[in-house]
Amino acid sequence: MANIRDRTEDFKDAVRHTALSLGYDESKLATILVNFIIHKPRERSTFTRAALKTLESIGTLEQFMLKHRKDYVDLHRTTEQERDSIEHEVSAFVKACQQQIDVLKNSINDEEANSKGWLGIRPDKSNADTIAHKHGVVLCLTERLHAVTSQFDQLRAIRFQEAINKATPRRKLNRITKSNPAVDASKSDNLEFKQPDQFQPERLKVQEQLLDNETRALQVELSSLLDAVNETESKMVEMSALNHLMATHVLHQAQQIEQLYDEAVEATKNVELGNKELSQAIQRNSSSRTFLLLFLFVLTFSVLFLDWYS
């Protein structure tokens, strides 16, 4: 087994000798040696900085939702105006994040349009890989934003369900409080104006009839209100399901677009390989034609030489 020798010091001595020969002083030489150990961080591109800023915005939105989750869901912690304010702020956050993602998409499309050469073929393969990587970054940001917004949609559905559940007993309580003064008034009339014994049964029958009519009317109104609430609840659930379905389809379309882009990149590579193969075939054809002409010339010269020699 061959002996292994550490030649790091030899390399440092060579670097020191070269630097001194080029006129570097000791401070610059120390800086060069430090750069061999501690590398400077690479400067991030504009797209990377914008993508990190968008990711930070989405993280801030998620932290805001987690902070105000109990305030938004619990009825006894905040008022309706505060809930509306929280929902408005979340909507503004989501809109700002979506605008940032749209800006990233537009920058990718512009870079892709500028990088295309003649007949839509990219001359640089590394640029195509960079554009594909940027599309993947935008897709990841879109999925992250969709996950955060789906959490807020669940909180909004809980709020709507609580509002529907709260509406029915409130209306029932209002109806009962409205019907009680009439009953109290009838009782006070009975106490203030005492009639003879022969008129008491007829008056009781009239009061019972009035109470029965009011009860039937209240039951009809409550049943119609309950039907309206159930219909509203079913519509809200259907709207929430349609919203979730639309978001799922949008995400699926984004995945399909990414797949189509990958297929387009692969097709472009195949076209480039085909062009290379065609150029090689043309070169082979020209070389074979030259060889054939040379062979015919040598053969003709040989025949003429043999005829002259004989």
Side-chain angles (χ1 to χ4, degrees):
M1 183 176 179
N3 294 326
I4 299 174
R5 180 185 174 186
D6 187 8
R7 305 195 62 183
T8 306
E9 297 298 330
D10 297 337
F11 176 72
K12 290 182 179 179
D13 293 336
V15 171
R16 181 185 297 274
H17 179 70
T18 305
L20 292 175
S21 64
L22 293 176
Y24 285 86
D25 54 2
E26 292 295 332
S27 60
K28 292 183 179 181
L29 183 60
T31 304
I32 294 173
L33 294 177
V34 167
N35 290 330
F36 286 149
I37 302 174
I38 303 174
H39 298 282
K40 293 183 180 179
R42 296 181 61 185
E43 185 178 358
R44 292 174 178 174
S45 62
T46 306
F47 178 85
T48 304
R49 291 196 296 269
L52 291 175
K53 183 178 179 181
T54 305
L55 182 61
E56 184 179 357
S57 301
I58 296 173
T60 305
L61 173 61
E62 188 174 6
Q63 293 295 328
F64 180 81
M65 288 175 53
L66 292 176
K67 181 180 179 181
H68 297 280
R69 178 185 179 91
K70 294 182 180 180
D71 296 335
Y72 187 80
V73 175
D74 195 355
L75 294 174
H76 305 287
R77 294 174 67 96
T78 55
T79 61
E80 291 295 330
Q81 289 79 10
E82 292 176 350
R83 288 184 173 186
D84 294 336
S85 177
I86 293 172
E87 187 171 348
H88 178 71
E89 290 182 5
V90 171
S91 301
F93 262 115
V94 172
K95 186 177 180 181
C97 294
Q98 188 62 45
Q99 288 178 355
Q100 292 177 4
I101 292 175
D102 293 336
V103 170
L104 292 176
K105 288 182 180 178
N106 293 330
S107 65
I108 294 173
N109 293 329
D110 294 338
E111 183 179 357
E112 188 175 5
N114 294 327
S115 63
K116 289 182 179 179
W118 186 62
L119 296 178
I121 299 175
R122 298 186 184 89
D124 191 3
K125 181 179 178 181
S126 61
N127 193 16
D129 295 336
T130 304
I131 292 174
H133 170 70
K134 291 181 179 180
H135 278 291
V137 170
V138 171
L139 181 61
C140 291
L141 292 175
T142 305
E143 291 177 354
R144 180 71 183 277
L145 182 60
H146 177 263
V148 175
T149 52
S150 64
Q151 294 178 5
F152 185 72
D153 289 337
Q154 294 176 0
L155 297 179
R156 188 182 296 172
I158 293 173
R159 180 189 176 187
F160 288 156
Q161 184 66 34
E162 289 178 353
I164 292 171
N165 294 333
K166 188 179 178 181
T168 303
R170 182 182 296 176
R171 290 296 299 273
K172 184 176 180 180
L173 182 60
N174 292 332
R175 280 297 177 183
I176 291 174
T177 54
K178 288 181 181 179
S179 62
N180 284 333
V183 177
D184 295 336
S186 64
K187 288 182 179 179
S188 63
D189 292 338
N190 290 332
L191 292 175
E192 291 177 358
F193 301 98
K194 292 184 179 180
Q195 298 295 332
D197 295 337
Q198 63 269 17
F199 296 103
Q200 290 294 330
E202 294 181 357
R203 188 167 183 175
L204 290 174
K205 289 180 181 179
V206 172
Q207 290 178 356
E208 289 178 357
Q209 186 66 31
L210 291 174
L211 289 175
D212 291 338
N213 293 333
E214 290 180 358
T215 303
R216 292 191 185 95
L218 183 61
Q219 289 178 353
V220 171
E221 186 175 358
L222 288 176
S223 62
S224 62
L225 179 61
L226 182 61
D227 294 336
V229 168
N230 291 329
E231 185 178 0
T232 304
E233 182 181 3
S234 62
K235 288 182 179 179
M236 292 301 299
V237 172
E238 186 177 358
M239 288 176 62
S240 178
L242 289 174
N243 188 12
H244 181 70
L245 184 62
M246 184 179 68
T248 305
H249 281 300
V250 170
L251 182 60
H252 184 63
Q253 287 181 355
Q255 294 176 356
Q256 288 182 348
I257 291 172
E258 183 68 20
Q259 184 179 1
L260 289 174
Y261 177 77
D262 293 337
E263 292 178 355
V265 171
E266 186 178 0
T268 304
K269 292 180 180 178
N270 293 331
V271 170
E272 292 177 355
L273 291 176
N275 291 330
K276 291 180 180 179
E277 293 292 335
L278 286 175
S279 62
Q280 291 178 1
I282 293 172
Q283 292 177 359
R284 291 171 185 171
N285 190 12
S286 61
S287 62
S288 61
R289 186 179 302 170
T290 304
F291 178 76
L292 182 60
L293 291 175
L294 181 62
F295 177 74
L296 291 176
F297 177 76
V298 171
L299 183 61
T300 305
F301 182 76
S302 300
V303 171
L304 292 175
F305 178 75
L306 292 174
D307 183 68
W308 174 77
Y309 182 75
S310 61

